[in-house]
Each structure stands twice: as structure tokens, then as C-alpha cells.
Amino acid sequence: MQEAIINKAKELLADGRVDRVIGWKKGEFSYDITPAVFETAEEIDAEFVCNDFTSANVSKYLVKETKKDGTVLAFLKPCDTYSFNQLVKEHRIDASKVYTVGIPCDGKLDPEKIKQKGISGIRSIEKDGDMLKIDTVYGDETLKISDAMSERCLSCKSRKHVCYDELIGEDGDVISSNRFDMVEQLENMSAQERYDFWRSQLSKCIRCNACRNVCPACTCEKCVFDNDDSGISNKAAADSFEENMFHVIRAFHVAGRCTDCGECSRVCPQNIPLHLLNRKFIKDINSLYGEYQAGADTDSRAPLTDYKQSDCEASVVHERGVE
Amino acid sequence: MLRISLDKLDTLFAKIAEKQKLYIPSDREDGSAEYMEWSEGRKLSNALNTVRSAKEFFFPQTESLVDFKLSGKNIEVIDIRKETEDFVVFGVRACDARSFGILDKVFLSDPVDSYYQNRRNHGTIVTMACTRPSETCFCTAFGIDPTAPEGDAACFTDGSFLYIKANNDRGEAFVSSVSSLFEDGDTAELEKVQAKTKEVLGILPLSGLSTEAFGGDKLNKLFGSEKWAELSESCIGCGTCTFVCPTCQCYDIKDFNTGHEIKRFRCWDSCMYSDFTKMAHGNPRLTQLERFRQRFMHKLVYFPANNNGELGCVGCGRCLTKCPISMNIVKVMKALEAE
Ligand code: SF4
Ligand code: SF4
Ligand code: SF4
Ligand code: SF4
């Protein structure tokens, strides 16, 4: 597939359809991939990659890229197309300056999962059927691909590209996923158990802001938490209350706009399952206002920015909060 | 050398914890290791390193500095400093152990940072030699020997025994406080393990990394390099690299109004942030390129310029594993060197 993508990029550059290509650049090892912009066929031949580790969602970079002159080519995985659409819907991306090519995806791998199996000194990682063959300085290792699959890919919601100018390979379908299972488990806990769960998770937070900065729904020019004049800016949680509030406020702010792309949990250095907060909102929106998938289109009205007489009453909060 | 069977680690930890708080790297529910206070049942992690570095024991992420109380027209200044209690950090890797030397140069040179010094004076660092370095390790590029770590006392293991050796007076005192549990033993097995580890260090992917292109005298060439644009292009300015780094030392001082008093505190800061070193006129580094460049120039040029050539990185590899876009000091060094 990488070959087809590289050829497509070079072809579109050569016939002047696009001026730049945003994609991924290879690193020191098999898995440390960096999003990058390429301007020439030579650069692409030398460094472009698209493999099992090119998981970074490049749509947010298009906010910056479309402020520049010219057209940029972006390769989007199915889940990335939802982020792209949502950003277009919010007028954060000038879609006329982007040429999108949908690329197939059968799940990306998480290097941390491989390392947590005790595999170290990795020199290269290759696929062999449903196994990974890993060459390390300590000898050869094998691992089932499913054991190395990213958490978000294990509960992938769609193999369908919701927008593209062109497609490489066959398009997939929206799939029924188990993504709300864990949310349900949390809902079934007692309030105290749930509180303890979130306390133990959120207390690991180091407020590095990786979750916020990578999030395609977080595109404010100046985040309230970075704004000295807001009175609540902070680089470190002064107490546990604040630590929780940062996440709760962020989850509220992206509610109805979060497409469940999973970038926040992917980048969190402390492995906090942030996606569960957002999925709780998605699940609630679905049940209170009717099924809604952020990023599925660019023109529908989002439930939280729309009013219908059939909307649930505010008392729902009280009713559901009673144990 | 003094040694104790590895299955008696709990007895050793219990003995240390009798007199002072003991912290060890231990596994969390999500599979990563973190320093935790030892209590009965807490197990030493097998992980090579913790997500957060050990710098936190001396330079915590947040700490209160001083309180102010307003009464009428008077401001009462309350010094909240207290003498820290003695504590032991066990299982520190050679890379983190070297980072304390780097932090000392910042916090213990004139004017001495009394908050940091207080903790340094009360902490005993017991290191643990590495036997399974990873592909992201490059401590040897900075002259660190992970098979013979620094620290007040150092431990080594051959898989069956834990060996211990004091590196200084504080380490001597520590070793003698627990030596009743140890016995003198043969080191033949340990030497084999050390030789094996040295062999692995020689074939790690980053083993040939050179630091020659860097140092205090390389300012003009490196600052003006055209590579910074490309290197920093996709940096999301999150600051993860700075927060997990054992040698990043920048902090911000802020006032917190509780309603009836002011608490002045400091917290880690990151050069990657838009309000870093913000002054009355604004921020001196307007673009992410400039902020990104600052982090690496600090480690590779500014720090050595002020500290007899010593580089400000210890090769722990944390920024390699944790950066969301996998951009890191190794990629920066290789790109700049190739210029
Ligand atoms: S990425 Fe993780 S550690 Fe960083 S701010 Fe977000 S939740 Fe906290
Ligand atoms: S280099 Fe990586 S970890 Fe550091 S601020 Fe940039 S994106 Fe974040
Ligand atoms: S710059 Fe990176 S490798 Fe060097 S000490 Fe800091 S985190 Fe470790
Ligand atoms: S960088 Fe060196 S000292 Fe640190 S964990 Fe790796 S091998 Fe050990």
C-alpha cells in the first residue's frame, strides 16, 4: 500500500494538482514516525512512510497548512476523515486548499504494547501472517498482531471514509464496535467506585497537555488554561480538584464535537483512558438527543448547538444522578 | 562483594523503611512503572525505567514557596519551609543518577536554592545497574556507564543476588545500616552479566551516537541552522518531553489567591509553552520553532557553555518514547550533525 500512496503523492505533485504533501516520515526505529510535510518527489522517496505505525492523525495540521498558499495533499485513514469533516464544519480548515486521499486501514500498532510485553532492544518489526517478527539485540521475538494493536483500533467505529477527493483501495463500512462497553461498565459502578476509578486515573496526569494539543477538536487560538488573564491558567495542578477539572472542562468543551478519533489516549504519556470520558458524552448524546456522530457530515446541526422541542429536560441530570 | 538473595528483597525494603521513607519503582495497573512509597507487599518493577524521572524527589512538579497574609495595611510573610525528613530512593538508573549532578549545578550554585538543597541533604540515592538496556537508551554517549551507576550507593544484580557497594560517605552509612542482611559473596556470576550488558550496549541502535558537534562553542553555527524549521514543523508544543525529562529544570513562580491569603508556589515550566518566560512586553519566543530550538540548544549548547562543557542530556530515552510525534533529541542531534 505504501507504494501506491507514494506514487499517488508524486503523481499529484508532478501534475501540479498539489504543492505539498502531508504524511509521515520514518524515524530511527521501525515505530517512531513523525508527521511531516514533503515538497518534492526526492523527499518523498527518501523518507515518506505509511505502515502499521503511522497512526498520527494529520487533520489538525491542516488548520496551519491551509493558512499557507497553495494546495496540500493529505492522506486520511477512515477515522481521520471524521476529524477532517468536523474541522471543515467548524470553519477551521479551508477545504478548498486540501486534496484528500482516503487510505485503507486495518488497525495500527502501539509500540508501547510491544514493549510492555518485555520486548526490548528493538531493531526492526515485520509482519508475518497474523504475527509480528521482531528483531532485537536480545534475539528474535514474536508477538500476535492482535496483542500489539492500539486500543482505539480494537474498538474501531468505521472503516468507511466519510469524505475524500480520491480513494486508494476499497472503501469499508461503518462497523458495530464495542466502544461503549467500558463506558457501560463505568455506569454500572457505584458513584464511589466510579469516583475512585477516575481519581486513580486522573491523579497520574502530569498536565503535559499532549491530549489537548493533539486533539482535533481543541483548536482554540488561546486555550483558557494557557491564558494568564483567565484566572485559571495553570501549568500544574495545584490540587486534586484542579487536576480533575482540567479534564472535565475539556471533555465538556469537546462534547458533541469529539469524533472519538482516539488521539488523546494514544499520546497520553501516563496511559490515562481519556477516550472513556469523551465516549460517555457521545453515549449520552446518542441516548438523550438521538444518534449523532460528529464529523460524519459537514452540514447537520449538532445536538448541543441545536434546539428541538423534543430535547430532554434539564431534570434528566438530577434523575440520573440519584443512586 | 556484599550481596543478598533477590528473594529477600522484601526483608531489605522493610529494614530500610523502618527508619525512613523508601521509594521504589513499581508497576502501575496500566503496565508502566512509577516511583511509589514502599509498604508491605509493594514489588520492585522489572521495567527499565519509570515514566516520570526521579528528579521529582528533589524538584517536585509543584511546591509552595511562601505564604502572604494581609491584615489591614500589613502584609505578613510566612516562611513555610520545614526541614525535610530523611528518605531513600532505591532503584534509580544510571541516567537519572547523572541527572542529579546536572540539576545540582543549577540549584546548588550561588544563589543556592534552599528548597532543593533541603531535599538533597535528606535523600539517599541507591542506584541499580542496568542489565537490559533498550533501543532508546544512549547514556553511553554522555560517558555514563549503566553497569556501574553513580548515586550514594549502587546495586547490581546477576538474576539471583543483589550486590551493593557504597560510592560515598552517605552511601557508606546507608550500607552499614542494612549490612546485617548481606553476606560477602563471590562476584563471578555478576561479572558475567556485566560483560554481557556491555556487549549489548555496544550493539544498541544508538550506540554510535556522537556528541562532537555540540558544546558551548557551537552557538552561532547551531542557532542559525536551517534544520530547525523542518525538525520543529510538526511539534505540537505539548511539553511532554520537558516534563518527563530528568534534566529539564525550568520552573514558573505563581501566586494563588485562596481568598484569605496568597500562596506563592512554583511549578515545572516548559520552553515549549507559549507563555514561557513571558514578560511585560510579551513572549520573547513567538514561534514554535524558537521554542523547540530553545529546548535542544539549552541541552546541547547553553548548558555546556556555562558548565565546563558538560551536556545537559543523560540519554535516558524518555523523550524518544513519549513524544506524541516521535521527535526527539536524537533526531535533532543527527540532523544538526549532518549539516
Ligand atoms: S496527555 Fe495525559 S498526562 Fe498529559 S495532560 Fe493529558 S491526561 Fe494529563
Ligand atoms: S517535541 Fe514532542 S513532546 Fe516535545 S513539545 Fe514537541 S510534540 Fe510535545
Ligand atoms: S533530553 Fe530526552 S534523552 Fe535527554 S535526558 Fe531529557 S528526556 Fe532523557
Ligand atoms: S539510558 Fe543507560 S542508564 Fe538509563 S536506563 Fe538506559 S541503559 Fe540504563
Side-chain angles (χ1 to χ4, degrees), chain B residues 159-197:
Chain B
S160 320
F161 291 95
L162 181 86
Y163 300 77
I164 196 165
K165 166 175 126 332
N167 284 338
N168 60 24
D169 290 351
R170 185 178 301 175
E172 293 285 358
F174 174 80
V175 173
S176 66
S177 75
V178 293
S179 59
S180 60
L181 297 174
F182 286 76
E183 54 187 19
D184 220 7
D186 174 56
T187 54
E189 265 314 300
L190 175 63
E191 280 156 29
K192 274 192 220 157
V193 169
Q194 285 175 324
K196 187 97 216 311
T197 309

Side-chain angles (χ1 to χ4, degrees), chain A residues 39-323:
Chain A
E39 288 179 6
T40 64
E42 292 71 48
E43 285 171 15
I44 290 175
D45 278 330
E47 295 188 301
F48 191 102
V49 271
C50 182
N51 62 22
D52 298 316
F53 294 100
T54 47
S55 37
N57 175 352
V58 297
S59 19
K60 187 175 182 178
Y61 288 113
L62 296 172
V63 174
K64 187 172 76 180
E65 283 304 317
T66 55
K67 290 203 174 105
K68 300 177 187 163
D69 290 335
T71 305
V72 56
L73 164 62
F75 290 106
L76 303 177
K77 310 191 292 297
C79 54
D80 303 342
T81 59
Y82 288 81
S83 311
F84 178 81
N85 251 0
Q86 185 64 25
L87 284 160
V88 170
K89 189 173 187 169
E90 293 173 7
H91 307 288
R92 305 296 289 136
I93 289 179
D94 178 353
S96 69
K97 285 179 160 177
V98 192
Y99 189 84
T100 56
V101 174
I103 54 172
C105 176
D106 42 19
K108 298 289 174 186
L109 306 182
D110 178 356
E112 183 151 351
K113 277 199 167 176
I114 297 174
K115 295 181 190 185
Q116 285 195 349
K117 294 280 184 308
I119 298 173
S120 180
I122 299 170
R123 280 196 284 227
S124 72
I125 305 176
E126 266 163 43
K127 258 186 175 168
D128 183 18
D130 58 355
M131 300 295 284
L132 290 178
K133 278 176 46 185
I134 305 165
D135 170 32
T136 86
V137 296
Y138 300 103
D140 292 338
E141 301 266 6
T142 52
L143 187 67
K144 277 223 235 65
I145 289 179
S146 54
D147 288 341
M149 188 71 76
S150 303
E151 220 42 54
R152 61 172 171 183
C153 300
L154 288 173
S155 51
C156 175
K157 63 181 181 297
S158 173
R159 293 277 159 87
K160 180 181 152 77
H161 296 82
V162 288
C163 59
Y164 52 83
D165 291 308
E166 197 176 324
L167 204 57
I168 291 181
E170 293 272 300
D171 205 7
D173 293 312
V174 174
I175 48 185
S176 67
S177 79
N178 59 357
R179 64 188 176 126
F180 295 122
D181 289 3
M182 185 66 190
V183 178
E184 247 157 55
Q185 279 180 36
L186 286 170
E187 287 171 344
N188 291 334
M189 287 179 179
S190 72
Q192 185 61 45
E193 284 167 350
R194 200 161 46 238
Y195 180 77
D196 293 342
F197 171 84
W198 282 114
R199 277 299 306 139
S200 77
Q201 289 297 344
L202 297 180
S203 65
K204 296 190 290 189
C205 175
I206 54 173
R207 272 303 280 282
C208 64
N209 292 314
C211 51
R212 178 195 68 184
N213 289 16
V214 83
C215 174
C218 274
T219 57
C220 294
E221 286 290 321
K222 186 110 191 140
C223 176
V224 69
F225 293 108
D226 285 347
N227 181 356
D228 259 341
D229 301 330
S230 72
I232 60 161
S233 82
N234 223 342
K235 290 175 178 126
D239 56 33
S240 57
F241 177 71
E242 258 200 62
E243 207 168 79
N244 298 337
M245 288 326 277
F246 169 67
H247 294 289
V248 174
I249 291 172
R250 211 180 76 77
F252 265 101
H253 196 195
V254 302
R257 305 190 297 116
C258 164
T259 64
D260 201 7
C261 75
E263 284 287 273
C264 49
S265 295
R266 177 181 73 84
V267 301
C268 176
Q270 292 285 50
N271 300 331
I272 301 173
L274 295 157
H275 60 281
L276 293 177
L277 274 181
N278 304 320
R279 278 188 191 162
K280 169 65 177 156
F281 279 91
I282 295 172
K283 186 167 176 287
D284 276 358
I285 289 172
N286 283 347
S287 72
L288 297 176
Y289 301 97
E291 292 282 322
Y292 178 77
Q293 171 60 52
D297 59 64
T298 52
D299 47 17
S300 68
R301 303 208 51 168
L304 299 186
T305 51
D306 196 14
Y307 172 75
K308 288 202 200 84
Q309 272 196 321
S310 59
D311 281 355
C312 68
E313 295 297 329
S315 57
V316 66
V317 175
H318 176 70
E319 282 153 23
R320 300 192 334 163
V322 178
E323 282 257 312

Side-chain angles (χ1 to χ4, degrees), chain B residues 18-29:
Chain B
E18 265 171 24
K19 297 219 191 71
Q20 45 192 326
K21 281 200 169 148
L22 165 66
Y23 300 90
I24 61 167
S26 191
D27 289 333
R28 286 191 316 228
E29 99 301 339

Side-chain angles (χ1 to χ4, degrees), chain B residues 152-332:
Chain B
D152 299 317
C155 292
F156 313 83
T157 179
D158 58 8
S160 320
F161 291 95
L162 181 86
Y163 300 77
I164 196 165
K165 166 175 126 332
N167 284 338
N168 60 24
D169 290 351
R170 185 178 301 175
E172 293 285 358
F174 174 80
V175 173
S176 66
S177 75
V178 293
S179 59
S180 60
L181 297 174
F182 286 76
E183 54 187 19
D184 220 7
D186 174 56
T187 54
E189 265 314 300
L190 175 63
E191 280 156 29
K192 274 192 220 157
V193 169
Q194 285 175 324
K196 187 97 216 311
T197 309
K198 289 216 162 101
E199 218 174 275
V200 168
L201 287 166
I203 55 166
L204 284 177
L206 301 180
S207 64
L209 192 72
S210 158
T211 58
E212 255 168 47
F214 309 98
D217 54 340
K218 306 290 193 309
L219 179 89
N220 289 335
K221 180 168 184 284
L222 296 178
F223 190 87
S225 167
E226 286 183 358
K227 297 275 178 184
W228 292 114
E230 187 188 326
L231 289 165
S232 64
E233 178 177 53
S234 50
C235 169
I236 61 173
C238 62
T240 305
C241 51
T242 50
F243 282 8
V244 295
C245 176
T247 68
C248 271
Q249 63 223 210
C250 293
Y251 59 83
D252 194 5
I253 296 181
K254 296 205 163 203
D255 285 348
F256 180 65
N257 188 346
T258 65
H260 43 91
E261 63 181 347
I262 301 289
K263 286 193 167 298
R264 178 159 294 174
F265 69 100
R266 73 165 154 201
C267 59
W268 293 350
D269 203 348
S270 174
C271 48
M272 294 291 188
Y273 290 166
S274 58
D275 62 346
F276 182 71
T277 61
K278 188 175 164 195
M279 294 171 248
H281 79 285
N283 192 322
R285 298 184 193 90
L286 294 175
T287 62
Q288 197 56 32
L289 182 155
E290 294 165 287
R291 296 173 199 140
F292 179 95
R293 179 174 59 192
Q294 167 64 21
R295 174 161 197 267
F296 299 102
M297 287 295 283
H298 187 196
K299 303 230 180 288
L300 301 171
V301 178
Y302 310 147
F303 191 84
N306 294 324
N307 295 281
N308 305 317
E310 184 176 359
L311 295 164
C313 167
V314 295
C316 73
R318 285 188 180 83
C319 61
L320 280 71
T321 43
K322 291 300 180 184
C323 170
I325 58 147
S326 293
M327 181 42 73
N328 54 59
I329 194 158
V330 168
K331 289 184 179 174
V332 167

